[in-house]
């Protein structure tokens, strides 16, 4: 079966302990928000995320999902060269 786009499959882990921020995480997602950062951050917060401390740069927000995994919402877009071979 093929699925278009990206597929993320979360799994429960017995005796789970969330990663510490700042620090290493198993997977870190950077989600590009275009040029508007506030609306996507507000949506993530409404869905259960919380802001991490510290916030290292004004171009992105580091958030923690409900299980404590860090992820970023950013206005920084990847270079188009990353997508060409």
């Amino acid at each position: 079966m093929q699925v278009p786009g990206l597929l993320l499959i979360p799994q429960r882990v017995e005796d789970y302990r969330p990663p510490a921020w700042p620090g290493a995480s198993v997977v870190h997602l950077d989600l590009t928000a275009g040029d508007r950062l506030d609306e996507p951050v507000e949506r993530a917060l409404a869905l259960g995320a919380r802001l991490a401390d510290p916030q290292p740069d004004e171009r992105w927000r580091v958030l923690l999902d409900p299980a404590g995994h860090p992820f970023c919402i950013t206005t920084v877009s990847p270079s188009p060269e990353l997508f060409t071979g």
Side-chain angles (χ1 to χ4, degrees), residues 16 48-50 63-71:
Y16 170 78
R50 62 188 191 280
L63 296 110
L64 304 173
D65 74 9
H69 300 103
F71 67 98

Side-chain angles (χ1 to χ4, degrees), residues 19-73:
W21 174 259
S25 59
V26 175
V27 172
H28 183 95
L29 299 176
D30 287 331
L31 306 171
T32 302
D35 60 354
R36 304 184 79 171
L37 191 56
D38 292 337
E39 292 87 352
V41 169
E42 289 172 11
R43 174 100 169 113
L45 293 172
L47 291 170
R50 62 188 191 280
L51 286 170
D53 185 32
Q55 292 292 318
D57 191 297
E58 65 185 34
R59 299 172 297 168
W60 62 80
R61 295 294 173 273
V62 181
L63 296 110
L64 304 173
D65 74 9
H69 300 103
F71 67 98
C72 291
I73 298 177

